[in-house]
Amino acid sequence: MMSVGELEPDTTSYICEDFIQGVCQHGDHCSKLHYPVPYLWQMNLNFFGLYSFSPEISLFIESQYCNPMNTKCHLEQSLAINESCVLTDVCIHFDIMMASVRHLSSFGKVDVKRLSTMSFAMPLLSGSKDPAVVKKYYTQWRWYWYHADERIWKVFGEHCPVPDQQTLEMKFCFQPRQLDYRFEASDGIGFVIEFGPSNWFMTLLPFVLLKPNNKPVEGWPIRRRPLLQHSSALSPQWPPIKQLPYVISFPMYWSPLDQSKDWEVVKLSKVSAEFAEVNGSFVKSLMDQKATTRRKVKEIFRLQNPFVWQRYVIKKNFMQANNNCNEKQLFHGTMTECAVKGICRHGFDIRCNGVNNTIYGRGSYFAASSGYSDRYAHNSVRRRSWMFLARVLVGRYAVGNKTMSRPPPIDPTRPFAELYDSCVDSTSNPKLFVIFDCDQCYPEYIIGYNDASIPDSD
């Protein structure tokens, strides 16, 4: 049996969902492909150009691709490219998006392209919360992970409560601004999904801050496949859109919020301006040149904790209204990875103070210099040390002492009147700041570093 397709120019990335509904107003000027169904399979035949499979063959390939168990699809039909070229033994390999083909007695490989409507997550990334905006013709992607013992692919969100489909798809569509996605299962075990470099093969890995003995950590394969939609039975099947209970807007540079948990850490790309800025602050503020040569930043994470951020912004707005905000970026070192996780989850909790020196008051301590905070973070036994770069509302400050559990009153004769906002080691040139209200500080970045003398292992 022989099938005839079409040769077309490669000029578009998406199929127009409005055209499928019959409501596209752009006509021939539309930047998307006008096609009657939300998917189309194509092959790049080099000098022949882009070959589009017939609707019948596209439907067959799509039905095979939608099953996460399938890694390839064999076509029984011969493909008539033109009068002189017929391809046989066509096999599409989904994981690498290539096809092996035979022309006469020669075999070769060509690139395969799947055109579709946009992902259902795209309008959510643009800020829409209206389910009506998530049109039924958007592609309904689903995420699966492979259970080796049972030898089946399981759906995220059904066979395990986190992460949910909406979060996974939004994170994936946010590439390259988010390199991976880290989450914690109900049993407390952390995992990371690495999105790159191939969009067609991803891995679910146990998330450890440091790989034991520098050995590779085994993971589980992950696949992202669409739901099959027939042209005669297109229906809205997107996951329920979750409404997060926050009234404060979040920074524009944040990744899409995790819909399945209260906080997350987002690893920064080492080539990003954000990484360069944080790393520059860390290196520049080291107290002495020896420390500069002994410390090397290995990774930086951005903390996205909407609840803690919301408290911080409300406090900041209140202090700004009283003209005593004085926001600074300060460092906070910690010895244990357990403490890092606790701060990420709850923020800086002054009820946990007193572990280290409290000479200027019983609060949370922050330093203007990363070199000073390194004293409380660096541990020669561990390969990796951790330090926070935090936003801190220091406001008006006074010199503290070890008996203080709150800032002193501005007017000593009126002890129950207005108080200072923080305590310091020196009012003329403060290097240490003590905060007694956890809403005055937000742990924005986590810096992972070690001795520069230790050979790179990651």
Side-chain angles (χ1 to χ4, degrees):
M1 181 178 178
M2 186 173 296
S3 174
V4 178
E6 296 182 2
L7 290 171
E8 301 179 5
D10 186 7
T11 59
T12 184
S13 300
Y14 292 107
I15 294 174
C16 179
E17 60 279 351
D18 289 332
F19 175 80
I20 301 175
Q21 299 179 86
V23 296
C24 181
Q25 300 178 355
H26 300 288
D28 295 338
H29 300 288
C30 184
S31 61
K32 301 177 183 178
L33 176 67
H34 283 183
Y35 197 70
V37 293
Y39 52 83
L40 172 63
W41 286 83
Q42 301 174 315
M43 288 192 303
N44 188 348
L45 299 179
N46 300 322
F47 55 86
F48 282 115
L50 197 65
Y51 174 85
S52 295
F53 291 98
S54 66
E56 295 78 17
I57 294 183
S58 274
L59 175 58
F60 174 73
I61 299 173
E62 182 77 3
S63 64
Q64 298 297 302
Y65 181 61
C66 289
N67 185 343
M69 294 292 291
N70 296 331
T71 59
K72 55 187 176 182
C73 172
H74 291 273
L75 301 183
E76 297 180 357
Q77 303 94 329
S78 299
L79 303 179
I81 306 303
N82 55 33
E83 294 180 356
S84 61
C85 179
V86 177
L87 301 181
T88 59
D89 295 334
V90 177
C91 180
I92 298 175
H93 302 269
F94 295 135
D95 284 343
I96 57 175
M97 278 295 165
M98 296 191 72
S100 56
V101 299
R102 185 174 71 175
H103 177 230
L104 300 176
S105 60
S106 301
F107 285 89
K109 289 186 177 181
V110 296
D111 292 329
V112 171
K113 181 178 180 180
R114 178 186 178 274
L115 271 181
S116 70
T117 54
M118 290 194 302
S119 165
F120 74 90
M122 296 300 287
L124 302 177
L125 288 174
S126 66
S128 173
K129 299 295 184 295
D130 182 3
V133 177
V134 187
K135 303 170 185 178
K136 63 182 179 181
Y137 300 102
Y138 284 152
T139 301
Q140 304 298 316
W141 291 98
R142 293 296 180 268
W143 290 73
Y144 305 84
W145 63 282
Y146 186 67
H147 196 296
D149 294 336
E150 300 181 20
R151 296 184 178 181
I152 61 173
W153 289 87
K154 295 194 171 186
V155 182
F156 280 106
E158 293 182 6
H159 299 91
C160 55
V162 292
D164 63 276
Q165 294 287 331
Q166 179 179 329
T167 293
L168 277 171
E169 187 63 17
M170 291 176 68
K171 298 293 185 183
F172 179 82
C173 292
F174 203 64
Q175 293 184 84
R177 294 174 63 183
Q178 181 155 358
L179 304 177
D180 56 32
Y181 169 57
R182 296 157 192 265
F183 65 96
E184 186 176 283
S186 56
D187 55 7
I189 298 177
F191 295 92
V192 56
I193 295 176
E194 298 178 339
F195 290 134
S198 169
N199 292 346
W200 310 110
F201 184 82
M202 289 159 281
T203 307
L204 176 67
L205 295 170
F207 174 45
V208 290
L209 293 176
L210 182 64
K211 298 177 182 178
N213 302 320
N214 297 320
K215 294 181 179 179
V217 180
E218 294 185 1
W220 300 265
I222 287 177
R223 284 184 182 156
R224 173 182 179 259
R225 298 289 177 87
L227 294 181
L228 181 62
Q229 299 191 72
H230 296 277
S231 58
S232 60
L234 294 174
S235 59
Q237 302 178 50
W238 56 80
I241 297 176
K242 298 183 178 181
Q243 297 285 355
L244 297 177
Y246 305 115
V247 297
I248 299 296
S249 60
F250 304 108
M252 294 294 293
Y253 53 85
W254 276 22
S255 300
L257 292 179
D258 194 324
Q259 308 291 311
S260 57
K261 59 188 178 72
D262 297 332
W263 62 276
E264 69 170 314
V265 291
V266 177
K267 188 174 184 178
L268 302 186
S269 168
K270 291 186 177 181
V271 298
S272 67
E274 191 175 6
F275 183 98
E277 182 178 354
V278 177
N279 180 62
S281 297
F282 175 85
V283 173
K284 183 179 180 181
S285 66
L286 289 171
M287 282 186 167
D288 55 76
Q289 293 300 315
K290 292 182 180 179
T292 303
T293 59
R294 288 188 293 110
R295 303 290 180 258
K296 183 177 181 180
V297 173
K298 303 295 292 183
E299 54 193 350
I300 299 174
F301 298 91
R302 182 199 316 120
L303 174 65
Q304 297 187 174
N305 187 321
F307 179 68
V308 176
W309 174 260
Q310 183 170 247
R311 288 171 16 204
Y312 176 81
V313 172
I314 292 174
K315 184 69 175 183
K316 180 179 178 179
N317 291 340
F318 176 81
M319 294 179 67
Q320 284 178 329
N322 289 277
N323 298 316
N324 62 334
C325 180
N326 198 4
E327 183 180 40
K328 294 181 178 292
Q329 280 192 313
L330 302 172
F331 296 95
H332 178 92
T334 184
M335 279 287 188
T336 67
E337 293 172 0
C338 181
V340 171
K341 187 175 181 180
I343 293 172
C344 288
R345 182 183 298 275
H346 304 292
F348 294 103
D349 193 340
I350 62 172
R351 294 170 298 183
C352 300
N353 67 67
V355 175
N356 297 310
N357 192 359
T358 58
I359 189 172
Y360 299 109
R362 297 193 294 271
S364 295
Y365 278 65
F366 299 90
S369 166
S370 58
Y372 188 93
S373 293
D374 179 59
R375 305 177 191 178
Y376 301 96
H378 181 66
N379 188 330
S380 59
V381 177
R382 294 184 291 111
R383 295 176 61 89
R384 187 63 48 88
S385 300
W386 300 96
M387 186 182 299
F388 285 92
L389 178 60
R391 290 177 181 244
V392 185
L393 304 172
V394 300
R396 296 167 295 186
Y397 44 76
V399 175
N401 63 63
K402 62 182 180 180
T403 65
M404 292 181 176
S405 57
R406 68 172 190 176
I410 295 176
D411 183 353
T413 64
R414 302 174 61 197
F416 299 105
E418 193 173 6
L419 306 177
Y420 284 99
D421 301 295
S422 62
C423 288
V424 294
D425 57 337
S426 167
T427 55
S428 59
N429 184 26
K431 295 181 174 61
L432 288 178
F433 296 83
V434 187
I435 302 298
F436 302 90
D437 183 349
C438 59
D439 293 346
Q440 287 180 227
C441 40
Y442 179 77
E444 190 166 24
Y445 296 102
I446 308 105
I447 303 170
Y449 65 99
N450 60 12
D451 284 350
S453 59
I454 298 178
D456 290 344
S457 60
D458 49 13

